[in-house]
Amino acid sequence: MPTPWKSVLTSVPLWALLAAHCGETWGFYTLLIQAPTYLSNILHFDLNENGLLSALPNLMLSTVSIFASILADHLRKKGIRISMIRKTLNTIGFIGPAICLAIVAFVGCKPVVIVALLCLALGLNGFAFSGFIATHVDMSPDFAGTLYGFTNFFANCNGFIVPAFVGWIIHDGVIV
């Protein structure tokens, strides 16, 4: 069946989904790319420790996303509306990490607390995978792959925009 591009490109819910996808990848890439540098240069972990510590938040993300999907399926079986499940899990996956990262700014230089908050932030972000990511299938099961490819293409442009943006903000360790 041919892709209904006119319907796709004029769908307001799809553009909202694209915004959510871009927002999530912005935060994800910021942490993925900048966390090792932060752990090494700011918290002064040596490179041997830094590798494992840099991986811990991503391990939390992977683990929690699995449990969040099990929770989403359980809630569906209980009869809760799918839109409520997606919105709730997405809210946890976006607001939870924002709160954790805001707390990091006020903790001071307490490396163990900061690493725990980074792990919690990315762990909570795992809920978003059962939120906005699964919404592609809910919107259009027959074209979910196409919709995901569309939003994922633009969202992953953040992979090269984020480092440039961070470099623009921080120059030689000084906020410009």
Side-chain angles (χ1 to χ4, degrees):
M1 176 162 50
T3 304
W5 285 109
K6 183 180 180 190
S7 296
V8 168
L9 296 175
T10 58
S11 170
V12 174
L14 180 67
W15 289 100
L17 184 57
L18 175 63
H21 201 155
C22 287
E24 192 277 337
T25 59
W26 184 276
F28 175 74
Y29 279 126
T30 300
L31 289 173
L32 180 72
I33 295 167
Q34 300 303 320
T37 303
Y38 178 76
L39 292 173
S40 178
N41 295 347
I42 306 300
L43 298 182
H44 305 293
F45 285 107
D46 69 31
L47 292 177
N48 292 329
E49 291 179 42
N50 193 10
L52 177 60
L53 290 174
S54 296
L56 281 176
N58 294 301
L59 179 61
M60 285 293 293
L61 172 76
S62 299
T63 304
V64 171
S65 66
I66 292 167
F67 288 110
S69 67
I70 293 168
L71 175 63
D73 288 344
H74 176 73
L75 294 172
R76 282 187 82 174
K77 288 178 186 170
K78 291 267 187 195
I80 297 174
R81 289 187 351 246
I82 193 67
S83 64
M84 178 60 78
I85 295 168
R86 300 290 183 236
K87 289 173 185 175
T88 302
L89 295 180
N90 205 62
T91 299
I92 293 168
F94 279 38
I95 302 297
I99 292 169
C100 291
L101 295 176
I103 293 170
V104 166
F106 297 102
V107 167
C109 193
K110 296 180 182 167
V112 173
V113 175
I114 291 172
V115 170
L117 284 166
L118 291 174
C119 288
L120 183 59
L122 267 137
L124 290 170
N125 186 241
F127 282 92
F129 288 82
S130 292
F132 81 92
I133 292 287
T135 300
H136 295 85
V137 176
D138 300 334
M139 287 177 108
S140 178
D142 292 335
F143 298 104
T146 301
L147 297 180
Y148 184 75
F150 178 78
T151 63
N152 200 43
F153 169 79
F154 291 104
N156 281 296
C157 289
N158 288 331
F160 63 85
I161 295 171
V162 164
F165 184 74
V166 170
W168 177 67
I169 291 175
I170 300 174
H171 180 68
D172 294 329
V174 178
I175 296 178
V176 177

